[in-house]
Amino acid sequence: MKLIQRLPFVKKPPFVAVLRLQGAIGMSRPGSPGLSDATMAPLIERAFARGKPAAVALLINSPGGSPVQSSLIAGRIRRLADEKKIPVHAFVEDVAASGGYWLACAADNIWADTTSVVGSIGVISASFGLDQFIGKYGIERRVHTAGGSKSFMDPFRPEKDEDVARLKRLLEDMHISFKEHVTARRGAKLASDRDMFTGDIWTGRQALAENTGLIDGIGHVVPKLKELYGDDIRMLDYAPKRSFFRRFGVQLGTEIATGATGAMFATAEERAMWARYGL
């Protein structure tokens, strides 16, 4: 009788699920669904559910955007991390500012490059005042509303003091939510001798040297994960699929062909967000 020799149990090396969070938050246009909870939810759910990862790594490169989408994405990550007891590490690439830093705070630790930009814990509202422009060219603005506040902050009408005051109240309330999130996640790590919520920004080197508490150290994803989990660590990437047009570099042509004027404005606004941080 031939004996079948069983192979000894071979333990698979640990793996880390890597999620890329790239771009302005909540902005979408043809060929680019944008960084939102709707687009990221399936990837986030799979990253935590597939096998038993030793950790989840967030690769963050975002100048911010929608506070609501920032909160939804970060909330989903924290819920799954707590439910499954999986540690989360954030790695900042060029920038994790404003909503991008909100996302980074979903992690248990935040690592950055020496030249990464972090912070901008504040809320901003930016628009244009076009009332004098249309008046110069004899354009008449016709607006009819049911409800006195429906034309709130209309860019084609002169700015009203009461509208500005109301907007500031809204921004302050959003800022409170942002501060609560950062404080809950970073806690005693944050510098206690200064106001960290002014909207100021730091490079990774400055954030560490000045003991801001915004990051835990300087580190890149591969060497840091090997340091934490061993040289045999495997990494499984989870990233949104690029559309056909983005893969072949014809996104702009698609936007023009479809008459997506709003998409071109969105592109300009997104580029302005990146430009704030010299990118």
Side-chain angles (χ1 to χ4, degrees), residues 167-243:
L167 177 61
K168 287 183 177 180
R169 290 195 299 271
L170 294 172
L171 298 179
E172 284 295 334
D173 193 59
M174 295 177 189
H175 196 199
I176 289 171
S177 296
F178 196 173
K179 291 188 289 185
E180 289 176 344
H181 172 68
V182 174
T183 301
R185 295 299 308 150
R186 300 298 295 172
K189 293 180 179 180
L190 289 174
S192 59
D193 59 345
R194 74 192 88 171
D195 185 359
M196 299 302 302
F197 306 126
T198 63
D200 202 355
I201 57 174
W202 292 261
T203 64
R205 191 195 312 274
Q206 291 171 337
L208 194 62
E210 296 177 21
N211 297 315
T212 63
L214 294 174
I215 65 174
D216 294 285
I218 302 300
H220 296 174
V221 58
V222 173
K224 178 56 67 174
L225 291 178
K226 285 186 175 182
E227 175 189 329
L228 294 172
Y229 299 103
D231 289 337
D232 60 345
I233 189 74
R234 295 177 298 131
M235 299 176 203
L236 298 182
D237 293 330
Y238 294 84
K241 292 182 179 179
R242 292 190 302 168
S243 70

Side-chain angles (χ1 to χ4, degrees), residues 69-100:
Q69 293 302 318
S70 302
S71 179
L72 289 172
I73 296 170
R76 183 180 297 276
I77 291 169
R78 278 319 317 161
R79 174 178 59 80
L80 292 168
D82 292 340
E83 285 178 0
K84 298 179 181 295
K85 296 180 170 38
I86 296 175
V88 180
H89 305 280
F91 293 89
V92 182
E93 295 185 339
D94 295 285
V95 59
S98 195

Side-chain angles (χ1 to χ4, degrees), residues 15 18 55 97 127 132 135 156 205 217 245 269-270 275:
F15 74 93
V18 180
S127 63
Q132 294 185 22
F156 294 98
R205 191 195 312 274
F245 294 106
E269 185 176 356
E270 182 176 349

